[in-house]
Amino acid sequence: MDAVTLARVDAHGKTTREVNGEIRALVASGQREIEVLNPGSRHNLAVGILEPVRIVFRGDVGYFCGGLSDGLDLEIEGDAGWSLGADMMTGKIVVHGSSGSSTAPSIRGGLVVVMGDAGARTAIALKGGTVVVGGSTGYMTGFMMQKGTIVVCGDAEEALADSMYEGRIFVGGKIAELGNDAVVKEVTGEDREFLRGALKPLGLSPDAFDFKKVESGRRLWNFDKKEFTVWKAAL
Amino acid sequence: MCGIAGFLAKREGVPVGESLVAMLQALYGRGPDSTGLSLYGGPFEGELLASIWAGDDGGESARETVLEAVDRHGRVRSHDYTEGYFRVGLTPEDASPQGLRALAEDVERSSPGVRVFSLGHKLELIKYTADARTIFDRWRLAGVPFTHGVGHVRMATESRVDVNHSHPFWARPFPDVTVVHNGHVTNYYKNRRIYEMRGYTFQTDNDTEFVAVYLAEQLSHGLTLDEAVRRSIDDLDGSFTYLVSTADGFGVARDRFSTKPCLVAETDDWVAVVSEGIALAGAFGDEFEIHTYELAGGESRAWTL
């Protein structure tokens, strides 16, 4: 990154409102590359930014970082809290450390990469885009996902992909338990090519993992009481 | 919503009180109703320290009746009064749980509104409808060589906003055991009635009070702190990340659904368990470089001095 064009915000001693105000003022004045020092795990940093801006957080961020955004390019050098990138339309978020529960909830497009571990309910209600986790992911990851792809290089905890509508999840490590109506499918050549591209930001190759693909069994899409035994078996 | 924090020093010279209060102050947004702390290892004269609340309308005038009541169950060794709290150091006649229950009940009968918030060999418990820094200054906790402690910021969901219903809750009548809790335990009422039938008394309708008594009873049956917190994950329904503190350390447990947050940070000098990373930034600065991990749902851990 060109240091000359990088605008600096130092969050030390400031309220979240003041920090976000400074970021917005820089964006409004035409700055497209910003670094934020001392984010100190504050919540709601860089929320609601609709311009294609690059922001680097040199530390940890709290909850909802980069939420309600469209076109952001975020880099978080530390850890992220809950609900990273909530409802993002499109954009790119990369976390060097780990991220908390509900990582990338309901995002509609773009890419979220967590190099460490992700928490429970990661990519809940995913509506598009790709979520990549370099480490392991928590309980009920992919719950009610509708579209998009989740790639987990490590292990997945219980209730994976519970009540999934569509979309797919690749898991390189162990799956503790599949959620309701989630089924394991064959990984195709096309899938492998996709994974090759998805793992590039982490400097990893899909050949180093034994990826399993999880998709919806589609037996919970419609409920007819005459088919109760079918429905019950899916649960 | 609520927030919790626990801090344990692995060596002398680590500022436990200051760190815990800084963490709780940073978590203020999770709990503006009240703040409470259990702090261990502060000096006092006597075998047990009683933290006695003079009551919402009470004051220093209750001193004589309170001390007389304590004297009926042992010897008062020291006492002071600060802004609603009596700290009484005593040597009890009967240090068994039954003896301590009798002592606490007698003190409370002696003066309307008076509450024995804790009894312990190492424990001092202070809670109030104010923020952490106010409590730290008002009750002069600076510079006291505490070994460990747990604290809580409250956003009331289960019961009234007042001092009585604030955390931590002492596991009456077991000395030194307290709990701070973020969440909502859903099978507490049924279990509370079973415990009442077995002779326990509860001071509030708060779910956390039951959790404290339940855990203390497990410990009294010989379970280690580690075993007790692990078993609780099966025995408690609902949402919880809680810390249980004893004279020797504390334990943490998180419900299987990972409903409430829990971060752990550990160094060679101390261990901290907090609801949010912002608590660590509050205590150690924006730029702290300490390995922090999220305790997984359905997991528990314990640390002792």
Side-chain angles (χ1 to χ4, degrees):
Chain A
M1 187 172 17
D2 184 352
V4 173
T5 60
L6 195 69
R8 173 175 290 184
V9 175
D10 188 346
H12 181 74
K14 293 176 184 156
T15 65
T16 302
R17 188 172 290 230
E18 286 166 344
V19 176
N20 278 335
E22 277 187 41
I23 292 171
R24 284 174 175 280
L26 286 168
V27 171
S29 74
Q31 286 292 338
R32 286 295 171 264
E33 295 198 335
I34 299 167
E35 65 171 352
V36 180
L37 308 184
N38 303 308
S41 302
R42 285 171 183 73
H43 300 321
N44 308 318
L45 292 172
V47 168
I49 295 178
L50 305 177
E51 286 84 2
V53 184
R54 175 162 166 74
I55 305 177
V56 180
F57 287 98
R58 303 210 185 276
D60 300 330
V61 299
Y63 295 9
F64 295 109
C65 187
L68 302 171
S69 61
D70 192 356
L72 270 185
D73 176 1
L74 277 193
E75 186 175 352
I76 295 153
E77 293 183 347
D79 296 329
W82 289 22
S83 302
L84 174 72
D87 306 293
M88 178 173 87
M89 291 302 289
T90 191
K92 182 172 117 183
I93 304 178
V94 177
V95 180
H96 291 222
S98 291
S99 116
S101 291
S102 305
T103 297
S106 253
I107 71 171
R108 291 187 161 271
L111 173 66
V112 175
V113 177
V114 177
M115 294 186 174
D117 299 325
R121 291 174 284 280
T122 287
I124 183 173
L126 193 68
K127 294 175 168 63
T130 305
V131 178
V132 181
V133 180
S136 294
T137 196
Y139 173 80
M140 221 175 244
T141 288
F143 176 59
M144 291 183 75
M145 77 186 277
Q146 291 128 53
K147 196 175 167 188
T149 307
I150 307 171
V151 179
V152 179
C153 297
D155 303 329
E157 284 181 29
E158 284 81 355
L160 178 70
D162 191 287
S163 304
M164 182 193 214
Y165 291 92
E166 294 216 36
R168 59 210 174 138
I169 306 179
F170 297 101
V171 181
K174 288 193 286 289
I175 298 172
E177 178 205 58
L178 288 170
N180 292 319
D181 205 24
V183 294
V184 176
K185 291 267 166 78
E186 192 85 31
V187 175
T188 66
E190 223 181 286
D191 291 333
R192 237 169 268 285
E193 279 322 294
F194 170 84
L195 286 167
R196 204 166 298 281
L199 294 179
K200 249 207 181 122
L202 286 97
L204 298 169
S205 157
D207 306 322
F209 303 91
D210 175 26
F211 275 108
K212 286 137 311 273
K213 183 164 74 174
V214 176
E215 288 186 341
S216 171
R218 303 180 170 206
R219 288 166 297 174
L220 294 179
W221 282 20
N222 301 288
F223 176 60
D224 183 335
K225 65 182 179 192
K226 295 198 203 90
E227 293 173 351
F228 182 66
T229 46
V230 171
W231 195 75
K232 203 170 162 190
L235 288 172
Chain B
M1 181 167 33
C2 295
I4 63 174
F7 191 73
L8 183 144
K10 295 181 179 175
R11 59 164 181 81
E12 277 177 39
V14 176
V16 169
E18 286 76 0
S19 302
L20 193 55
V21 164
M23 290 180 194
L24 293 172
Q25 196 64 32
L27 292 173
Y28 177 78
R30 290 187 72 96
D33 293 338
S34 49
T35 310
L37 298 104
S38 295
L39 292 157
Y40 294 83
F44 65 92
E45 272 176 65
E47 241 179 76
L48 290 173
L49 180 68
S51 296
I52 300 173
W53 168 242
D56 293 340
D57 304 314
E60 208 167 353
S61 55
R63 187 212 303 267
E64 257 190 67
T65 35
V66 164
L67 294 180
E68 269 167 20
V70 175
D71 259 333
R72 287 196 280 275
H73 298 266
R75 284 274 313 274
V76 171
R77 294 286 176 199
S78 61
H79 62 91
D80 59 65
Y81 175 86
T82 309
E83 307 258 5
Y85 273 91
F86 295 102
R87 284 170 87 251
V88 181
L90 61 123
T91 306
E93 230 167 62
D94 178 1
S96 73
Q98 299 87 289
L100 298 188
R101 174 185 296 129
L103 193 166
E105 285 175 356
D106 200 0
V107 168
E108 288 172 351
R109 257 195 310 268
S110 73
S111 256
V114 163
R115 287 267 166 276
V116 177
F117 277 163
S118 69
L119 281 164
H121 299 283
K122 296 264 191 271
L123 165 68
E124 174 170 7
L125 194 157
I126 300 176
K127 52 191 182 181
Y128 194 67
T129 45
D131 65 8
R133 195 132 304 279
T134 300
I135 291 177
F136 190 70
D137 294 336
R138 189 175 294 181
W139 282 281
R140 297 187 278 274
L141 301 173
V144 181
F146 299 115
T147 53
H148 61 290
V150 297
H152 182 267
V153 292
R154 185 172 188 231
M155 187 180 292
T157 59
E158 284 293 286
S159 49
R160 283 199 296 284
V161 177
D162 64 7
V163 176
N164 274 324
H165 292 83
S166 304
H167 307 208
F169 281 99
W170 169 43
R172 176 185 299 218
F174 300 98
D176 292 296
V177 182
T178 77
V179 168
V180 292
H181 168 224
N182 174 207
H184 172 192
V185 168
T186 49
N187 63 339
Y188 83 97
Y189 208 73
K190 169 179 81 173
N191 283 296
R192 188 187 131 140
R193 281 168 55 192
I194 295 168
Y195 274 61
E196 280 172 340
M197 273 160 45
R198 288 164 50 201
Y200 291 98
T201 55
F202 293 88
Q203 314 310 306
T204 67
D205 293 325
N206 197 292
D207 54 337
T208 306
E209 198 188 353
F210 164 73
V211 175
V213 173
Y214 154 79
L215 287 165
E217 204 201 38
Q218 299 289 306
L219 293 172
S220 77
H221 288 159
L223 266 70
T224 63
L225 202 48
D226 198 60
E227 288 164 343
V229 292
R230 188 168 320 130
R231 182 177 290 196
S232 76
I233 294 167
D234 288 326
D235 286 348
L236 298 174
D237 278 345
S239 63
F240 53 88
T241 295
Y242 73 78
L243 282 157
V244 56
S245 60
T246 69
D248 306 312
F250 60 65
V252 63
R254 198 176 179 204
D255 72 63
R256 282 208 172 79
F257 308 112
S258 307
T259 322
K260 298 299 182 183
C262 184
L263 290 177
V264 180
E266 191 161 2
T267 72
D268 290 335
D269 294 332
W270 50 260
V271 58
V273 179
V274 294
S275 294
E276 292 178 12
I278 207 164
L280 299 171
F284 305 108
D286 296 328
E287 286 301 293
F288 71 91
E289 292 270 346
I290 304 154
H291 174 60
T292 306
Y293 66 91
E294 190 172 14
L295 188 73
E299 292 286 302
S300 60
R301 283 205 59 180
W303 294 267
T304 50
L305 296 168

